[in-house]
Amino acid sequence: MKQRLGTGFKVLFLGIYLIVMVFPLYWIVITSLKPQKDIFTFPLRYWPKQFTMDNYVNIFKISKFHIYIGNSLIVSIAAAFIVIIISVLSAYVLARYKFRGHGQVMLAFFLTQMLPGFISLAPLYLMMSHMDLLNTRYSLVLMYTVGLIPFSTIMLRGFFQRIPGSLEEAAMIDGCSRWSALLRVIIPVMLPGIASTFIFAFVQNWNELFLAVMFIDDESMKTLPVAMNSFILKFDVDWGAMSAGAVLSIIPTIFIFAIAQRFIVEGLTQGAEKG
Amino acid sequence: MNNKKVFILSGLLPALALILAFTYYPFLKGIIMAFQDYKLFDLRNVHFVGLDNFKAAFKDPKFFTALKNSGYWVFCSLILQFVFGLALALLLRKPFRGRGIFQGFAFYSWALSGFLIGMIWKWMFNSQIGVINDLLLRLHIIDERIGFLSNPKWAMMSVIIANVWYGIAFFAIMLLAALQSVPADLYEAADMDGATGIRKLWNVTLPYILPTIIATTLLRAIWIFNDPSLIYGLTNGGPAGSTHILSSLMLDKIIYAGDYGAASAIGVIMIALLLLYTIFFLTVTKAEKVGDF
Amino acid sequence: MTTRNKVSALVLCGALTAGLLAGCGSKNDSTNEGNGGGQVTLRMIESLTSPARTELLKASIEKFETANPNIKVDLISPPFDQADNKIRTMLGAKEDLDVIEARDLNVSEYVNNGFIDPLNTFADSWSDYASVSAIAKSLGSVGDKLYFVPNGLYERQLFYRADWFKELGLTPPKTWEELYETGKKLTDPSKNRFGFSFRGASGSNGTTDAITLAYNGDNVNLEDSMFTKDGKSIYSTPEGKQAMELYLKLYKDTSPPDSVNWGFQEQVQAFTSGVTGMLLQDPDVIQSLTEKMAEGTWATAPLQAGPGGKALLAAGGAGWAIPSDSKHKEEAWKLISFLSSPAENTEFSKKFGLIPIHTSATEDEFFKSGPYKTLLDMSNDSAHFVNFKPPFQYPGNGQWGQLVQDSGQSLLLGQTSLDDTLKKWADFWDKQKAELKK
């Protein structure tokens, strides 16, 4: 009886939550399939009178959406990978060792999250200019990496702390060096944490607008958020293009999420085996 | 011993070097603006003014409204995001049919860019052409249109709703990953003791994922406090300044007045407040759980 | 997957990252600058970007490049929302830029910071300069120097629902008072219909200024338009108070209550979706109205006058300027004069809904019909439609928008009295004037 009540509550909660989450998505999708003239009609239409793919055709015709999607993928994935590599190292050290300055290092990571970005923007722009990185994708990969290292380190450190130190000690007794113990024994157990940190890093990069606007000039290197932002006009918003762009921008993230999800689930089963 | 030092150094060096060079260095170069008369209209006349910008900030009644709103905004958004996020993570922990698809739809909000979320919700909240009012009217839940973003009584709540909608996914993703790593034998032991579901949650699950909970709530609070984009996109601080938080007020100083000095001063005050909050939070939650500072 | 497989997967990921990064480089070789005589690459940046407008600009630039084979133009098109911020950052960092789009509202800032050069010497030897209208010249000038050549002008006019007007037998209002009366007749909250597309959030000072200027009428100092001829703020006069009383009524009786916190998006969307019947806007919206509304459902009329029979209007716009740090000023001017030639400018204005800058172009049939006709009518009737210069020379002009939004909203919500608000606004301008004189 209690069991059934629990299941009922679970279904109810998840159902309501799903409706609340999905409705805005439904509204965007429907809008993207309406002809321009029908987007702002009153009374509102919950099902289009007429379906059209015009908005999707248009965003590829008037702006080079395939190029922007490609750029966003390159920049977001590259930065997310580098972030994971760098942060796994720093997180591991911070989780396993006590040393002088440990607290200060942690504080240095935390503090970065509090700094308002606009203050650094002009000096950063000059730095990019001096390093000759303006108008290259390197500038974005670099800055996205830098921006996500603190968060990823803090998160991954939390995951490391939960893994008993006996695990890699055993491996080291078996003759592994510290590095290979990390690589072969710890990281596989860490996969859920790494996967979710990766998703997080990817999504942040995928959506970043301000640095991308500042650092990139050429059409051929623009990213998706910049292209979407340009559908806001002086006295209007092109909702047809905006909604079509939004739908397209969600698809790759859901895809990446599905891939990363596998690692999370796999980590679970592995944890069970160990148990 | 020496070996250990090398390992520590080589592990931390890439992360620290990048942060020092590309976060702290430009920030320190920029922060002097807080002590300058630095206005976009008059860049050839930038000069030091001591603490004038800070004095001006504390004299402005809008500053205190924004300060109060910031507290309300962070507290409400954070609590609701966390509670729903944790509930979702717990419910999604065990596999069921369609879980993958469910997660896709449950978490996509996190994949939208901030400015887009502001625009979508602004449109939906509109009392004349917005879909929320229309739905509520059709379902006969309300008789009169609600000015979600124009009525001072509703505006702050509406913005918080949008923020919660956006942020639940973050907690759900992070907490779900943490839950997956709870070793099964801990539950087995609890089962043998005859613990019930809620007891297990309280005694086994939550303590085990506590480091993640502390780290995520701490960081998320900082982000919510610092991010003006939703407020800016949805209400622009209005009506009559009633929804300004400190970060949107700071943005206001830049966009309308081009006054980087005033904006930076507010930025410095915000950092000080966040530091106080962090120290307080870590003391209360007993820092050694997240990590010994 | 075994552990070994996972390790190799990680190695693979690393390799993939390296591969992706290799694709990141390829910086364009725009560095072949000024090697004496050879090919010159101009870097140009626009501000009022829209995907459609960028296409038009590119087509013009292509024509220019064909005519001048030794000049290549790189056009940078940041999103409108972020463009001025980017332009400012680039100018501040002394990045290579040769042509920038300056706007009426920020040209004083650029000049004040020494970012852009006056164009008078170039313009004096420009054969097409004679036909540039006086308004266009005045728009691009700060003090007595020309700093940008406008690429088109816009003026505020009334857009109204022709079908609703016909249904109710109404004619377009000529005065603000009539606008209010007409608005009241159109308003029926039970049908979710309202007379006026009000906006109380960003840009609300556009409406308060327009109505208060009209009421102060002949008494306004046209060169310093926030003040009357005897130097008092337009918000401090009895006429100013009358105007703002009507403004309040306009909101309460003819506008959606929600509009107290509307910006331009909601204002235009309410009109296109058939919630409101009248909209005051610039001609840039013509294109979206044409796209989104059925033909014949909307029409245009001139801006409303005050009790004295005069409407005060200002031409707005943006145009091309040359940064002081440009190394190719001659070539930059060549491009500007090409884009500003009667042929190019008229074509651009037609396609983008602007008033051309050359007086000769208004002869074009295109501007004598349809939604553009009212604009022409207004400029031909200088007895009733008087041009004034907006207060862009004041550093505090941006704060004005913020002040009207904040205190205007609390006025509309009934939190403060009209007298207090007017006093605050008048004080603001008195202070601005005192500071400018310093």
Side-chain angles (χ1 to χ4, degrees):
Chain A
M1 183 60 203
K2 217 174 179 183
Q3 186 79 25
R4 200 173 287 170
L5 201 71
T7 316
F9 174 74
K10 182 174 169 176
V11 170
L12 188 72
F13 179 86
L14 291 181
I16 292 175
Y17 182 76
L18 194 65
I19 291 171
V20 172
M21 285 318 280
V22 168
F23 185 76
L25 180 65
Y26 170 78
W27 197 242
I28 301 169
V29 173
I30 283 295
T31 302
S32 74
L33 295 170
K34 286 179 182 175
Q36 278 287 355
K37 275 192 169 53
D38 292 351
I39 291 179
F40 284 104
T41 46
F42 205 86
L44 301 181
R45 295 197 66 96
Y46 290 85
W47 192 250
K49 232 183 336 192
Q50 185 189 345
F51 284 94
T52 171
M53 291 301 282
D54 280 0
N55 293 316
Y56 290 90
V57 175
N58 272 340
I59 57 172
F60 283 98
K61 222 164 41 183
I62 56 171
S63 63
K64 302 169 186 146
F65 240 67
H66 49 288
I67 294 181
Y68 308 141
I69 291 177
N71 286 332
S72 276
L73 277 176
I74 292 177
V75 172
S76 308
I77 293 177
F81 267 120
I82 301 174
V83 163
I84 293 293
I85 292 167
I86 294 177
S87 305
V88 161
L89 289 176
S90 51
Y92 181 75
V93 169
L94 286 168
R96 284 289 187 263
Y97 294 98
K98 294 219 76 165
F99 51 89
R100 239 182 356 159
H102 187 277
Q104 283 86 329
V105 172
M106 279 303 286
L107 196 67
F109 282 119
F110 263 106
L111 197 58
T112 56
Q113 302 302 296
M114 307 175 189
L115 312 179
F118 82 95
I119 290 182
S120 330
L121 192 59
L124 211 50
Y125 188 86
L126 276 175
M127 282 171 79
M128 292 295 135
S129 169
H130 293 321
M131 291 165 66
D132 219 9
L133 286 180
L134 284 179
N135 207 15
T136 66
R137 294 184 199 94
Y138 286 119
S139 63
L140 297 184
V141 174
L142 174 65
M143 288 318 298
Y144 293 174
T145 303
V146 171
L148 282 162
I149 285 175
F151 169 80
S152 310
T153 301
I154 294 166
M155 281 320 291
L156 289 172
R157 177 170 175 266
F159 285 106
F160 274 125
Q161 278 175 326
R162 262 186 259 116
I163 298 169
S166 52
L167 213 61
E168 74 250 43
E169 273 156 29
M172 278 162 73
I173 290 167
D174 286 354
C176 286
S177 74
R178 198 159 272 283
W179 290 102
S180 61
L182 176 65
L183 206 62
R184 288 208 202 143
V185 183
I186 310 291
I187 292 198
V189 184
M190 284 279 291
L191 271 181
I194 290 180
S196 47
T197 311
F198 179 86
I199 298 178
F200 180 84
F202 174 82
V203 165
Q204 291 299 96
N205 300 339
W206 183 255
N207 288 330
E208 200 284 328
L209 171 67
F210 295 99
L211 293 178
V213 168
M214 280 298 163
F215 293 164
I216 302 295
D217 298 336
D218 279 15
E219 281 307 304
S220 61
M221 283 183 263
K222 269 189 189 164
T223 56
L224 204 57
V226 180
M228 303 255 289
N229 194 246
S230 62
F231 296 135
I232 302 177
L233 314 176
K234 185 160 150 273
F235 278 125
D236 199 16
V237 175
D238 188 346
W239 268 108
M242 188 73 89
S243 53
V247 172
L248 290 180
S249 82
I250 295 174
I251 292 172
T253 27
I254 289 182
F255 198 66
I256 296 259
F257 190 81
I259 296 175
Q261 195 58 36
R262 287 191 150 170
F263 287 97
I264 296 183
V265 176
E266 208 176 307
L268 171 77
T269 47
Q270 256 200 359
E273 278 162 27
K274 295 252 154 54
Chain B
M1 187 63 200
N2 214 1
N3 214 354
K4 184 182 147 193
K5 261 188 189 159
V6 171
F7 188 78
I8 291 176
L9 263 180
S10 50
L12 285 178
L13 199 66
L16 278 181
L18 282 172
I19 288 174
L20 290 178
F22 295 101
T23 305
Y24 283 107
Y25 174 71
F27 176 76
L28 290 177
K29 284 204 105 176
I31 199 65
I32 47 168
M33 291 188 293
F35 307 95
Q36 287 175 325
D37 181 342
Y38 195 111
K39 296 203 182 78
L40 280 183
F41 200 87
D42 211 358
L43 290 177
R44 291 203 279 200
N45 191 22
V46 170
H47 56 273
F48 281 94
V49 290
L51 295 176
D52 281 7
N53 289 323
F54 294 89
K55 285 181 200 153
F58 286 123
K59 254 198 251 164
D60 186 356
K62 274 164 85 177
F63 176 84
F64 292 98
T65 315
L67 182 63
K68 202 181 72 201
N69 283 344
S70 280
Y72 186 61
W73 158 253
V74 172
F75 184 77
C76 294
S77 304
L78 188 70
I79 292 281
L80 292 171
Q81 288 180 0
F82 174 74
V83 169
F84 284 116
L86 180 64
L88 200 61
L90 287 171
L91 293 178
L92 289 175
R93 181 168 45 159
K94 293 208 184 91
F96 56 84
R97 219 156 44 134
R99 185 175 75 157
I101 296 173
F102 182 91
Q103 284 182 352
F105 285 111
F107 296 161
Y108 81 94
S109 66
W110 188 251
L112 294 172
S113 58
F115 87 92
L116 197 61
I117 291 168
M119 291 186 47
I120 294 167
W121 279 90
K122 186 156 94 163
W123 183 17
M124 294 200 308
F125 272 138
N126 190 300
S127 86
Q128 260 67 38
I129 55 172
V131 67
I132 296 178
N133 262 298
D134 193 73
L135 269 179
L136 294 177
L137 278 172
R138 277 178 202 233
L139 298 173
H140 297 287
I141 296 172
I142 55 169
D143 311 318
E144 226 171 283
R145 291 168 183 278
I146 298 175
F148 285 111
L149 299 176
S150 57
N151 186 333
K153 272 186 242 149
W154 280 95
M156 199 70 203
M157 209 194 303
S158 307
V159 187
I160 288 173
I161 290 174
N163 195 17
V164 171
W165 180 86
Y166 167 57
I168 291 175
F170 168 77
F171 279 111
I173 295 171
M174 289 298 163
L175 295 177
L176 189 58
L179 287 176
Q180 310 282 38
S181 63
V182 180
D185 47 355
L186 283 183
Y187 288 116
E188 282 158 23
D191 279 338
M192 278 200 272
D193 292 348
T196 58
I198 292 174
R199 283 282 299 274
K200 268 194 276 181
L201 174 68
W202 200 252
N203 292 339
V204 180
T205 315
L206 289 182
Y208 194 82
I209 63 169
L210 195 62
T212 310
I213 292 179
I214 292 175
T216 46
T217 45
L218 177 60
L219 283 172
R220 190 83 190 114
I222 295 173
W223 294 338
I224 294 174
F225 182 82
N226 266 347
D227 183 13
S229 62
L230 263 187
I231 297 259
Y232 213 82
L234 279 167
T235 62
N236 206 358
S242 61
T243 56
H244 261 310
I245 56 171
L246 286 177
S247 57
S248 67
L249 187 68
M250 178 174 83
L251 200 62
D252 228 36
K253 298 277 178 215
I254 295 176
I255 291 184
Y256 287 106
D259 193 340
Y260 273 75
S264 305
I266 296 179
V268 171
I269 297 170
M270 285 168 60
I271 296 171
L273 288 171
L274 282 174
L275 272 176
L276 283 177
Y277 163 80
T278 306
I279 292 167
F280 173 77
F281 186 89
L282 290 178
T283 319
V284 168
T285 55
K286 300 201 183 62
E288 65 268 24
K289 295 267 168 55
V290 200
D292 19 87
F293 269 79
Chain C
M1 228 204 258
T2 64
T3 310
R4 188 165 297 276
N5 274 342
K6 258 175 208 157
V7 174
S8 48
L10 275 176
V11 173
L12 192 75
C13 289
L16 197 70
T17 310
L20 282 167
L21 270 180
C24 291
S26 75
K27 192 174 164 87
N28 271 9
D29 52 329
S30 57
T31 38
N32 51 346
E33 307 275 348
N35 297 341
Q39 178 98 4
V40 168
T41 302
L42 292 178
R43 287 177 38 100
M44 171 179 184
I45 186 164
E46 59 175 325
S47 160
L48 305 182
T49 316
S50 82
R53 199 184 88 143
T54 303
E55 284 308 304
L56 290 180
L57 268 179
K58 275 190 190 148
S60 293
I61 287 171
E62 215 166 283
K63 271 192 253 172
F64 174 76
E65 284 176 333
T66 323
N68 300 275
N70 59 339
I71 305 179
K72 203 183 150 293
V73 182
D74 279 347
L75 177 65
I76 306 171
S77 308
F80 164 73
D81 211 30
Q82 305 293 330
D84 288 334
N85 202 7
K86 168 150 180 158
I87 294 173
R88 196 180 277 137
T89 309
M90 291 180 85
L91 290 170
K94 300 194 189 310
E95 275 293 297
D96 288 329
L97 277 177
D98 303 295
V99 177
I100 65 162
E101 186 170 27
R103 296 173 66 185
D104 47 10
L105 48 90
N106 61 21
V107 63
S108 298
E109 176 199 318
Y110 292 161
V111 171
N112 208 31
N113 292 330
F115 284 158
I116 54 176
D117 274 1
L119 303 174
N120 296 69
T121 34
F122 290 120
D124 287 343
S125 55
W126 177 32
S127 55
D128 292 327
Y129 195 50
S131 62
V132 175
S133 66
I135 296 178
K137 282 178 190 165
S138 146
L139 181 72
S141 299
V142 175
D144 54 358
K145 292 204 180 86
L146 182 75
Y147 280 93
F148 70 84
V149 182
N151 48 30
L153 312 173
Y154 39 79
E155 268 169 8
R156 203 137 285 193
Q157 60 182 330
L158 180 77
F159 296 84
Y160 64 94
R161 285 297 295 259
D163 48 347
W164 297 6
F165 273 57
K166 210 168 158 193
E167 217 174 276
L168 297 169
L170 297 169
T171 52
K174 292 203 166 57
T175 65
W176 284 94
E177 191 65 42
E178 283 175 35
L179 181 83
Y180 169 70
E181 294 301 334
T182 313
K184 241 169 59 175
K185 283 177 198 148
L186 291 168
T187 303
D188 181 358
S190 67
K191 277 165 59 191
N192 199 25
R193 257 196 194 184
F194 296 88
F196 186 57
S197 241
F198 191 88
R199 66 162 152 175
S202 64
S204 54
N205 56 319
T207 318
T208 61
D209 286 352
I211 190 168
T212 310
L213 283 164
Y215 270 70
N216 280 291
D218 278 334
N219 206 10
V220 174
N221 178 353
L222 297 175
E223 291 303 309
D224 193 6
S225 57
M226 281 296 138
F227 298 93
T228 61
K229 281 177 178 146
D230 39 9
K232 283 194 288 190
S233 158
I234 55 167
Y235 286 101
S236 68
T237 62
E239 291 83 7
K241 187 174 175 181
Q242 234 183 315
M244 286 301 295
E245 275 163 356
L246 187 68
Y247 175 78
L248 269 176
K249 274 163 57 185
L250 206 55
Y251 169 68
K252 284 199 180 108
D253 303 336
T254 75
S255 310
D258 202 39
S259 58
V260 65
N261 208 14
W262 282 5
F264 73 87
Q265 294 170 19
E266 294 80 12
Q267 185 192 28
V268 175
Q269 281 163 10
F271 185 73
T272 48
S273 52
V275 170
T276 54
M278 292 185 287
L279 167 76
L280 286 174
Q281 261 303 355
D282 293 343
D284 327 39
V285 296
I286 291 176
Q287 243 196 353
S288 20
L289 298 192
T290 320
E291 261 173 38
K292 287 171 190 157
M293 297 171 76
E295 221 184 300
T297 56
W298 60 282
T300 61
L303 187 69
Q304 281 56 54
K310 284 194 179 161
L312 274 72
L313 42 107
W320 308 114
I322 302 182
S324 315
D325 290 325
S326 162
K327 294 182 200 83
H328 309 291
K329 288 179 185 159
E330 293 290 332
E331 291 85 355
W333 174 256
K334 221 174 186 174
L335 174 61
I336 292 177
S337 58
F338 175 81
L339 294 175
S340 312
S341 66
E344 286 297 318
N345 180 261
T346 310
E347 210 40 42
F348 185 75
S349 305
K350 264 189 210 175
K351 289 204 175 118
F352 208 65
L354 297 162
I355 308 164
I357 60 167
H358 293 279
T359 45
S360 47
T362 47
E363 301 299 310
D364 200 306
E365 276 307 313
F366 181 82
F367 296 99
K368 288 183 180 165
S369 59
Y372 297 95
K373 187 175 171 296
T374 36
L375 293 171
L376 213 63
D377 289 349
M378 289 197 288
S379 41
N380 288 339
D381 184 4
S382 56
H384 296 103
F385 298 94
V386 187
N387 267 287
F388 70 91
K389 197 149 168 82
F392 293 130
Q393 79 272 24
Y394 288 96
N397 188 55
Q399 277 162 5
W400 174 234
Q402 186 193 26
L403 181 69
V404 172
Q405 179 186 327
D406 273 7
S407 49
Q409 284 177 335
S410 83
L411 170 72
L412 294 168
L413 293 169
Q415 296 170 346
T416 36
S417 73
L418 179 57
D419 286 328
D420 288 350
T421 309
L422 286 171
K423 187 170 176 320
K424 203 187 238 177
W425 293 3
D427 287 350
F428 174 86
W429 281 109
D430 289 341
K431 209 176 134 208
Q432 287 294 317
K433 195 170 194 171
E435 269 172 25
L436 195 68
K437 274 192 186 140
K438 253 193 267 176

